[in-house]
Amino acid sequence: MPTVSVKRDLLFHALGRTYTDEEFDELCFEFGLELDEITSEKDIISREQGDTKAEGASDVILYKIDVPANRYDLLCLEGLVRGLQVFKQKMEAPRYRRVSPASSEPQRLVITEETTAVRPHAVAAVLRNITFTQERYDSFIELQEKLHQNVCRKRTLVAIGTHDLDTISGPFTYTAKPPGDIRFKPLNQAKEYTAQELMSLYKTDSHLRHYLHIIEDEAVYPVIYDSNGIVLSMPPIINGDHSKISLNTKNVFIECTATDLTKAKIVLDMMVTMFCEYCEEPFTVEEAEVVYPDGRTCQYPELAYRKETLSADFINRKVGISESTEHIAQLLTKMCLRSEVMSDGEQIEVEIPPTRSDVIHACDIMEDAAMAYGFNNIPRTTPRTYTIANQLPLNKLSELLRQDLAAAGFTEALTFALCSQEDIADKLLKNISETRACRISNPKTAEFQVARTTLLSGLLKTVAANRKMPLPLRLFEISDVVLKDESKDVGARNNRRLCAVYYNKSPGFEVIHGLMDRVMQLLEIKPGQGNGYHIQAADDSTFFPGRCAEIFACGKSIGRLGVLHPDVINRFELTMPCSALDIDIEHFL
Amino acid sequence: MSPAQETLLRRVEKVDGGLDSQDVATSLGVDHQAIVGAVKSLLALGDVISADQRSSKHWELTGEGCEIAEQGSHEARVVSSIPEEGMPQSQLMKLAFGKVGFSKAMSNKWIRLDKGHEGGPRIFKTVEHLEDLVRDKLLLVQKGQASQLEEKEKNELKKRKLLSEVTVKSYWITKGSCFSTTITKQETELTPEMIASGSWKEKKFKPYNFEALGVAPDCGHLHPLMKVRTQFRQIFLEMGFTEMPTNNFIESSFWNFDSLFQPQQHPARDQHDTFFLSDPAQAHEFPQDYLERVRKVHSEGGFGSQGYKYDWKIEEAQKNILRTHTTAVSARMLYKLAQQEKFTPVKYFSIDRVFRNETLDATHLAEFHQIEGVVADYGLTLGDLMGILHQFFNKLGITKLRFKPAYNPYTEPSMEVFSYHEGLKKWVEVGNSGMFRPEMLLPMGLPEGVTVIAWGLSLER
C-alpha cells in the first residue's frame, strides 16, 4: 500500500478547516485511507540518522497516509484534498477538459520504428500557463515518484518525463539509438555523457541504479529529441538537464514512454488531472499529438469520461440496503462518480472520470456506493445458506492421530516446509537426486532452497534446538512433504507423513517400535502378513546398518523405522543415539 | 521405638518442667549424640515433645589433665619418685614428667639440688608429705564440680593446658501437646497391605508438604499453534463449513493469480515477493476453455468489465510457485463448483500453509498459516458478509468489529476487519474480507446471480 506524506497544516488549509488527529483518523477510516503516522522531517531524520543530524531540520507536522494501491488519484495532496472535499460535499468534482492550443498547432511527438524493440509506446500533453509555488512544485515531483513506484511498476511499465516547454521546440522525436550514439548533459550534471558512460555513472547512484536493468541489455536505448536535436530524456533512466523544470516554469511538456499503453494513458491522465488546477484556466489540459510509425495520429491526454448504467436495485441487493435511487445517485456523486437518475426512476447513469481508472466494473461502483453509505451503517445479516459441514478425510485422520500421539507421550513439533538442500540430502546421508525434491529458483537465503521431502530433518533440528531439555526427547509431527509427481498438473504433490523421533542415552528402538504398534492399533490394523502389518529388515543410508526396518501394511510399504546412523546424528549436531519412525499416512484413508 | 526414645519419654513424663538432653545423657551414661538422635526422631512424629535448642559452656580436662588427675601432678610425682638417699639430676631428667615436675617442685620448695655432690648434681626431697593441689582441683573438675574453683584457678590450669572450656549444644525437652509415652511411628504412605488389613485405621500418617510442586506428568503435548488451528477448524465445522483440500503447496501462477483476476504485472508476482520453482518450473495442464476466458477478461475485458487491457501471457500463468495464499485452492474449488450440472450453495473453509519470499526475522516468516472462509450462494450481500464475520469472530470471543474499505485485486468490495482490543484500547486489524469480483467468478462459469463472499486471517497473528 503506497504511503503519501503531506504537511498537516497545508492539508487543513486546503480542506478549509482543522481536525484533531482523532477526527482526521476517523475521516480517513471512513474513506478507506489509513492515517499511518504523525511525524515530522526532524523526527524522521533523528530516528534514522540520530539527533545530531536532525538539528535544524523542519519540524512541520507531517501526516503519513496509507492509500489503497489502485487509487492513483489520491497519491498527492491535490488529489487527496479533492477526493475528501467531494466526499464531504464541500465541492463538486471538477470536469477535466482537453483543449487545443489557442493560436497554434498542438505539440507533436513522433514515434519512430526503432522504439518497437525496446519501449514502443509514448503519450504526451501540455500544462499551459501553470503557476508553481515551492509546495506545488515539490508535490509535482513527488507525484511522479509515487506513480513510478506504483502503477509504473518501478518504471518498467511507464516512465514519466516533465520538461519546461519554453526551453525546447517541437516537433519531438521519440526514437531508439545504440547507446554509443546518444550523448547529452543529464539532469543535475555538469557535462555531457554518452549513454554508455551514464549507465556506468549511475551504477553507484542509490536511486537510479534500480532502473538501469530495464534497458541495460538492449541493443538500442530509447531517447526523445526536440527539433534542434536537444535530448529531453533517455527513458526510463534520466531526463536531460536542458529542459528541466523550475519554480518559474510556465508551460510543462509531459511525456510518458511505456511498454504498456493502457498504463501510460492512466499515468498521463493522473499527472495532468492532479495539477491542471494550477493552470491559468483551471482543469484544462492542452492536447499533444502523437504520431505513430505507421502514420496514425492520436490526441492525448485521453481524459475519457465513460458512462455506465446500473440499477439502484443492483446496488441495494449487493450491499444489503434499501435506499432510494436518488439517494444512491447522491452517494455515488460523493465518490467523484457523477450520477444521475434516469427517466425510469430506477436506472442510474454513472459517469466515471479519468481520475478513476480503478473503476472497471459495476462492482467497483457498487463498492463506492457502499463506502459512501458507510460500511459500518450497513445492517449485519445472517445468510440463510444451508449446508452440511464435511471434514477433509486426510485432515480428519491427521487430527485423530495427533491427539493419540500426544497421549502416547510424544510432543508435537511444527517445523518449516522449506529447508536447505543439505537438510534433506547430505545431512541424512542421501543423494539429492533420489529425493524427488522440488527446487525454489529465487530463495533469499539457503534455508529456503527446496520444499522438504521428509519431516525427519525438521524434527532433528528441533531436537538440536532443545538439547538442554531433560532426556528423553520424544517428538512427532504430522504434516505434508512435497514430492515431484509428473501425473499432477503442476508436476508435484503433497504427501501427508507421520514422523516421530526418540532421543535418549540409549537408542530406544523398542520405544519407536512400540509407537508404531500403537498407531497400527489405532488404525485397527493387526500384526501379521497380508492384511495386517509387519516390519522387515531394510537398508537405508539414513539409518545405522542392521538397525532399520521397512514397514508394510496391507501388503504395501508405508515407511521406515530404525536407529539413526551416527553420522546423521553428528551432522545435526546431536550427541545421543536416536531412533525414528517415518510413515506415509495417506495409505490409511 | 528405640530404647533411647522410650527412656527419654519416660523421663520427660516424670518431670514437671523439662529436662536437658545433656543431663539425660550424663545420667544414663550414654553418648549425648544418641539422645539428640532420639529427640529428633520424636520431633518428626509431630507434637509428642517439643525441644528448644540451647547451648552451655563447661570445663573439661585435657588429655594431660586426665593423666594428672589419675597419677598426680608432675611435681608430686617427682617428689614421690625420689628415694631418701636422693637421685642424680640426670636420672630424674630421663623420666617423662622429669623436666616440668623438677622446676615446679623446685619452686614449691619440695626438693633441693646439691650441685656439688660427688658423682654429679643430686636431688633430695625436702618434704615427706605434700598436698597435691593441682591434682585435687582437676579431680573436682572431673567430678563436675568445677564451680567450686575460682575463675583465676581455672584460668591458670587452662594456661597449663590441663583444662579447656567447651560449648555444648543440647536440647531443653518438654512435653508436647500430643505427649504420650506409647507413641507409634507415623506412616509416610498408605499401602495395599494397610488397606487389606484395615490397619490404616490405627496408623498415623505423616503430613504432606503442600507447598511443594507435583511431579510433571509423563505425557506429550500438542503444539500450541496447532491447538489454535483445531479450535478454528471446530468453529468452521460448527458453522457448517466444509474443509477444502489444501494439500498442494506448489501451485501454478494461473490458479494463484490469473484465475483471481490478479494482473500479471502485479507486484505480488515479483521474484521479490513470491517463491518461484525451478523444478518443476511449469504447470502443464489447464482447463483450456477456462484459460481462454481468463486471458480474455484480463486483456480485453468482458463480463461487464473493462479488463486490464494488457498483453496476457500464458508463460506467466504457467510458472509454478509456492502458493502465496490458500485462495488459490478456493479458486480451484469454485471452478469445480461451476462445472456442476446445477449450482448448489456451498460454504468452504481451509487452514493451511502459505509462502512469501521473506528473510526470516522477528516479524517476518517465509511461511505461515492462512485461515480462509468462503460462502457462495445466490443473493448474498455485503451485510451478509459482515454478519457472518460477526458470528465467526463472536465464537472467538471478539464481539466489537468494524470494517474499513480496502483494496484487493480479486475482491470488490474489500473490507479490512478491525476489532477493538480492550487491552491496547484501540482498534486492531484482524483480517481481510470481500466479495469475489465478477471477473473472477463469471469466467469460471458460475451463474450471474451468484455472489461469493470470503474472508481470511492469519493463524500466527
Side-chain angles (χ1 to χ4, degrees):
Chain A
M1 214 186 312
T3 304
V4 180
S5 143
V6 293
K7 289 180 180 161
R8 184 192 63 182
D9 296 346
L10 219 54
L11 177 71
F12 287 173
H13 177 75
L15 290 173
R17 63 160 284 190
T18 58
Y19 291 83
T20 65
D21 292 341
E22 289 74 28
E23 282 169 346
F24 191 72
D25 185 44
E26 199 58 35
L27 174 63
C28 284
F29 193 93
E30 247 185 286
F31 196 57
L33 305 172
E34 206 170 320
L35 180 56
D36 186 48
E37 202 187 349
I38 301 164
T39 178
S40 72
E41 231 166 84
K42 196 171 183 172
D43 275 354
I44 298 171
I45 299 173
S46 83
R47 195 174 44 208
E48 285 168 1
Q49 305 169 30
D51 288 339
T52 46
K53 290 262 171 129
E55 222 147 291
S58 155
D59 49 12
V60 169
I61 304 282
L62 295 178
Y63 274 178
K64 293 204 155 188
I65 301 171
D66 279 348
V67 175
N70 62 339
R71 290 299 298 271
Y72 317 125
D73 59 320
L74 303 176
L75 288 175
C76 61
L77 177 81
E78 287 73 13
L80 271 174
V81 168
R82 235 173 275 164
L84 288 170
Q85 289 294 73
V86 175
F87 183 61
K88 300 301 282 181
Q89 293 173 295
K90 297 252 182 66
M91 68 179 264
E92 272 190 38
R95 266 200 88 79
Y96 306 100
R97 280 189 305 125
R98 183 174 76 198
V99 295
S100 303
S103 56
S104 59
E105 287 293 297
Q107 294 296 333
R108 275 181 156 213
L109 177 62
V110 181
I111 305 178
T112 73
E113 191 74 50
E114 289 80 6
T115 59
T116 320
V118 47
R119 202 172 178 85
H121 307 291
V123 292
V126 173
L127 288 172
R128 186 65 73 179
N129 289 320
I130 192 166
T131 309
F132 280 123
T133 62
Q134 187 64 50
E135 276 90 18
R136 292 172 186 181
Y137 178 84
D138 291 346
S139 178
F140 187 69
I141 302 294
E142 186 63 24
L143 176 63
Q144 290 178 54
E145 183 54 25
K146 290 279 181 243
L147 291 169
H148 274 153
Q149 292 311 312
N150 294 286
V151 58
C152 304
R153 298 280 176 265
K154 299 188 175 134
R155 302 191 188 179
T156 53
L157 301 184
V158 187
I160 310 162
T162 54
H163 311 277
D164 186 338
L165 183 58
D166 298 324
T167 64
I168 44 181
S169 60
F172 307 102
T173 309
Y174 175 41
T175 184
K177 286 186 166 188
D181 297 352
I182 303 171
R183 191 178 166 82
F184 66 106
K185 189 165 103 178
L187 198 59
N188 302 330
Q189 293 289 338
K191 61 175 190 112
E192 288 194 350
Y193 293 85
T194 66
Q196 269 162 335
E197 288 165 347
L198 278 180
M199 295 303 261
S200 54
L201 178 69
Y202 293 141
K203 275 269 182 312
T204 53
D205 187 295
S206 64
H207 180 56
L208 294 176
R209 66 191 163 94
H210 302 293
Y211 308 118
L212 302 181
H213 73 97
I214 305 171
I215 55 167
E216 203 168 24
D217 299 329
E218 302 289 344
V220 289
Y221 289 1
V223 62
I224 301 176
Y225 292 100
D226 84 344
S227 59
N228 299 320
I230 289 169
V231 171
L232 273 67
S233 64
M234 185 177 83
I237 312 296
I238 189 83
N239 286 352
D241 193 62
H242 182 89
S243 59
K244 74 176 172 200
I245 62 165
S246 70
L247 278 180
N248 302 320
T249 299
K250 295 308 292 177
N251 300 299
V252 183
F253 180 68
I254 305 174
E255 40 86 5
C256 299
T257 57
T259 53
D260 180 321
L261 182 59
T262 313
K263 290 277 195 295
K265 291 180 195 171
I266 292 172
V267 169
L268 184 66
D269 279 353
M270 286 305 155
M271 284 303 297
V272 298
T273 53
M274 291 300 115
F275 284 90
C276 59
E277 71 170 291
Y278 302 133
C279 288
E280 196 172 48
E281 197 182 333
F283 304 117
T284 63
V285 185
E286 186 181 303
E287 68 183 12
E289 193 173 71
V290 172
V291 184
Y292 288 90
D294 61 6
R296 266 186 314 125
T297 61
C298 281
Q299 267 68 44
Y300 291 107
E302 278 195 344
L303 295 181
Y305 281 80
R306 188 175 91 244
K307 288 201 166 142
E308 295 256 2
T309 306
L310 41 76
S311 68
D313 178 56
F314 164 78
I315 287 173
N316 279 327
R317 268 191 296 114
K318 288 287 177 190
V319 179
I321 50 177
S322 44
E323 294 299 308
S324 68
T325 314
E326 288 73 22
H327 189 219
I328 288 174
Q330 279 167 20
L331 291 174
L332 290 172
T333 305
K334 276 175 75 176
M335 302 304 288
C336 292
L337 302 173
R338 199 183 300 235
S339 301
E340 271 172 33
V341 180
M342 293 175 76
S343 53
D344 67 350
E346 169 54 25
Q347 301 288 310
I348 302 171
E349 190 179 65
V350 186
E351 186 183 58
I352 294 121
T355 45
R356 293 298 306 272
S357 59
D358 59 298
V359 177
I360 57 175
H361 192 279
C363 70
D364 297 304
I365 299 170
M366 179 262 288
E367 179 185 57
D368 274 27
M371 272 167 67
Y373 185 81
F375 281 1
N376 296 296
N377 298 325
I378 300 169
R380 297 174 188 181
T381 48
T382 306
R384 273 173 290 181
T385 307
Y386 178 79
T387 51
I388 303 286
N390 278 307
Q391 303 187 50
L392 187 72
L394 182 60
N395 289 359
K396 186 177 178 180
L397 174 68
S398 304
E399 285 284 306
L400 292 171
L401 284 174
R402 283 174 57 234
Q403 298 282 347
D404 279 311
L405 288 181
F410 280 71
T411 289
E412 186 176 34
L414 176 63
T415 67
F416 289 129
L418 306 181
C419 59
S420 69
Q421 179 177 311
E422 196 189 12
D423 287 337
I424 54 163
D426 308 17
K427 281 177 160 183
L428 293 177
L429 308 177
K430 296 260 192 233
N431 193 323
I432 188 70
S433 60
E434 59 181 300
T435 58
R436 291 157 74 197
C438 297
R439 274 169 202 280
I440 294 164
S441 66
N442 59 332
K444 283 179 187 155
T445 59
E447 296 153 87
F448 309 125
Q449 289 173 324
V450 292
R452 67 183 171 198
T453 54
T454 170
L455 301 178
L456 184 58
S457 37
L459 286 185
L460 291 176
K461 282 199 262 183
T462 308
V463 171
N466 290 281
R467 269 174 307 201
K468 285 186 186 146
M469 301 297 282
L471 292 173
L473 288 176
R474 287 174 290 225
L475 295 178
F476 81 94
E477 184 170 14
I478 299 182
S479 190
D480 285 347
V481 301
V482 183
L483 303 170
K484 281 203 282 185
D485 183 346
E486 270 305 306
S487 71
K488 299 286 168 185
D489 60 347
V490 296
R493 67 176 166 89
N494 281 21
N495 180 220
R496 186 71 45 96
R497 296 277 181 83
L498 181 165
C499 187
V501 295
Y502 178 81
Y503 180 72
N504 201 2
K505 285 176 186 151
S506 65
F509 180 85
E510 69 288 354
V511 177
I512 217 80
H513 190 184
L515 184 72
M516 193 267 296
D517 290 334
R518 173 69 183 143
V519 170
M520 293 301 165
Q521 187 185 31
L522 289 165
L523 294 167
E524 296 180 339
I525 299 169
K526 293 196 163 59
Q529 308 272 339
N531 281 332
Y533 76 92
H534 69 278
I535 62 173
Q536 71 187 41
D539 280 329
D540 188 314
S541 50
T542 302
F543 293 91
F544 199 35
R547 294 280 185 277
C548 171
E550 191 163 5
I551 307 163
F552 291 87
C554 307
K556 276 182 285 188
S557 167
I558 59 156
R560 308 236 150 130
L561 82 169
V563 177
L564 294 183
H565 197 286
D567 285 343
V568 171
I569 289 168
N570 278 328
R571 286 175 195 203
F572 281 94
E573 291 169 10
L574 297 175
T575 50
M576 305 273 170
C578 183
S579 53
L581 166 69
D582 181 4
I583 56 177
D584 172 356
I585 63 166
E586 291 183 22
H587 294 285
F588 306 117
L589 285 175
Chain B
M1 195 160 49
S2 72
Q5 288 176 15
E6 214 168 321
T7 320
L8 186 61
L9 286 173
R10 292 244 172 72
R11 294 221 169 185
V12 175
E13 190 187 16
K14 277 178 213 151
V15 295
D16 285 332
L19 42 81
D20 189 283
S21 56
Q22 188 70 43
D23 296 341
V24 178
T26 317
S27 67
L28 288 175
V30 298
D31 186 35
H32 182 232
Q33 282 311 313
I35 301 299
V36 171
V39 168
K40 284 193 173 160
S41 23
L42 287 170
L43 280 175
L45 298 177
D47 253 347
V48 178
I49 56 162
S50 65
D52 295 319
Q53 204 177 37
R54 41 149 73 179
S55 63
S56 62
K57 282 182 179 173
H58 74 118
W59 293 93
E60 233 171 45
L61 302 189
T62 62
E64 197 182 350
C66 288
E67 193 187 321
I68 288 172
E70 200 179 307
Q71 302 176 14
S73 64
H74 302 307
E75 54 270 31
R77 288 168 80 187
V78 165
V79 174
S80 60
S81 57
I82 299 172
E84 285 306 315
E85 63 274 18
M87 176 190 269
Q89 189 184 16
S90 57
Q91 196 187 331
L92 178 74
M93 287 307 168
K94 279 178 195 153
L95 295 168
F97 46 82
K99 249 185 189 163
V100 185
F102 170 75
S103 54
K104 277 280 170 192
M106 281 294 283
S107 69
N108 286 350
K109 299 200 166 72
W110 289 348
I111 53 171
R112 70 179 168 83
L113 175 66
D114 182 2
K115 284 185 181 168
H117 200 277
E118 58 182 88
R122 202 174 178 90
I123 296 162
F124 298 93
K125 56 181 177 186
T126 56
V127 289
E128 271 313 308
H129 295 287
L130 52 86
E131 264 191 299
D132 190 352
L133 287 173
V134 172
R135 186 185 182 197
D136 293 347
K137 287 175 194 164
L138 290 178
L139 283 171
L140 273 176
V141 174
Q142 201 172 41
K143 285 181 202 149
Q145 292 162 4
S147 53
Q148 290 182 22
L149 297 178
E150 283 174 33
E151 278 309 297
K152 198 178 146 197
E153 292 171 315
K154 286 188 273 199
N155 282 331
E156 194 177 314
L157 290 169
K158 189 181 171 187
K159 230 181 254 170
R160 283 183 68 179
K161 296 195 171 124
L162 303 178
L163 271 191
S164 64
E165 196 173 24
V166 275
T167 307
V168 176
K169 295 219 154 101
S170 63
Y171 287 96
W172 182 250
I173 306 159
T174 53
K175 289 171 190 156
S177 60
C178 308
F179 182 79
S180 151
T181 52
T182 57
I183 53 96
T184 50
K185 189 179 182 241
Q186 281 176 309
E187 298 293 337
T188 50
E189 289 297 0
L190 192 60
T191 64
E193 291 74 22
M194 291 175 195
I195 294 169
S197 65
S199 66
W200 58 270
K201 290 172 196 159
E202 281 82 44
K203 308 251 183 211
K204 285 201 170 165
F205 290 86
K206 210 173 165 181
Y208 276 162
N209 174 10
F210 293 115
E211 302 294 317
L213 289 175
V215 174
D218 189 17
C219 65
H221 307 277
L222 292 173
H223 192 279
L225 195 69
M226 294 295 96
K227 281 198 212 168
V228 181
R229 184 180 73 174
T230 305
Q231 284 171 7
F232 272 105
R233 213 170 158 264
Q234 185 63 32
I235 289 173
F236 276 116
L237 293 171
E238 285 167 9
M239 291 174 71
F241 283 66
T242 285
E243 195 168 26
M244 292 189 272
T246 44
N247 54 334
N248 59 323
F249 295 164
I250 292 178
E251 188 55 277
S252 63
S253 294
F254 179 76
W255 288 107
N256 195 85
F257 297 120
D258 295 288
S259 71
L260 298 172
F261 197 52
Q262 198 151 352
Q264 296 190 327
Q265 313 88 343
H266 195 275
R269 302 179 72 152
D270 272 6
Q271 294 276 323
H272 215 67
D273 292 314
T274 298
F275 285 120
F276 286 84
L277 291 202
S278 57
D279 182 22
Q282 288 193 333
H284 49 73
E285 210 183 299
F286 302 98
Q288 277 308 318
D289 49 344
Y290 172 51
L291 181 117
E292 179 54 29
R293 291 194 294 274
V294 168
R295 184 197 66 74
K296 205 167 165 191
V297 79
H298 278 248
S299 56
E300 297 167 30
F303 305 101
S305 176
Q306 300 292 308
Y308 294 123
K309 300 199 174 83
Y310 70 98
D311 187 11
W312 187 87
K313 294 190 176 78
I314 177 78
E315 294 77 18
E316 278 299 319
Q318 282 174 323
K319 286 181 182 169
N320 273 337
I321 58 165
L322 281 157
R323 68 167 176 232
T324 62
H325 48 197
T326 49
T327 319
V329 177
S330 308
R332 282 179 183 266
M333 292 301 284
L334 290 170
Y335 172 74
K336 207 171 143 196
L337 177 68
Q339 307 319 300
Q340 280 180 191
E341 193 97 349
K342 187 173 179 298
F343 173 82
T344 47
V346 295
K347 291 198 282 220
Y348 289 141
F349 82 95
S350 66
I351 309 169
D352 212 336
R353 290 177 200 245
V354 296
F355 304 85
R356 304 280 162 94
N357 195 357
E358 302 266 11
T359 314
L360 285 191
D361 65 34
T363 56
H364 293 92
L365 284 172
E367 49 187 282
F368 55 93
H369 288 77
Q370 187 188 334
I371 300 167
E372 186 167 347
V374 178
V375 186
D377 200 355
Y378 283 102
L380 294 173
T381 67
L382 202 54
D384 286 337
L385 173 56
M386 295 197 284
I388 208 164
L389 279 165
H390 192 72
Q391 291 182 336
F392 176 80
F393 280 100
N394 234 327
K395 281 182 176 277
L396 288 167
I398 296 173
T399 50
K400 267 171 132 178
L401 287 187
R402 67 172 188 170
F403 300 89
K404 174 181 165 286
Y407 168 66
N408 186 339
Y410 48 90
T411 54
E412 189 79 11
S414 308
M415 304 189 295
E416 278 169 10
V417 188
F418 283 73
S419 85
Y420 191 74
H421 194 290
E422 295 293 348
L424 298 172
K425 295 269 174 257
K426 64 172 191 179
W427 291 91
V428 291
E429 195 193 328
V430 289
N432 256 299
S433 65
M435 285 179 160
F436 283 135
R437 292 189 73 98
E439 292 99 322
M440 167 182 164
L441 302 178
L442 297 176
M444 288 176 172
L446 284 169
E448 190 116 17
V450 168
T451 308
V452 182
I453 56 180
W455 72 95
L457 52 154
S458 148
L459 184 63
E460 276 81 356
R461 204 158 175 141

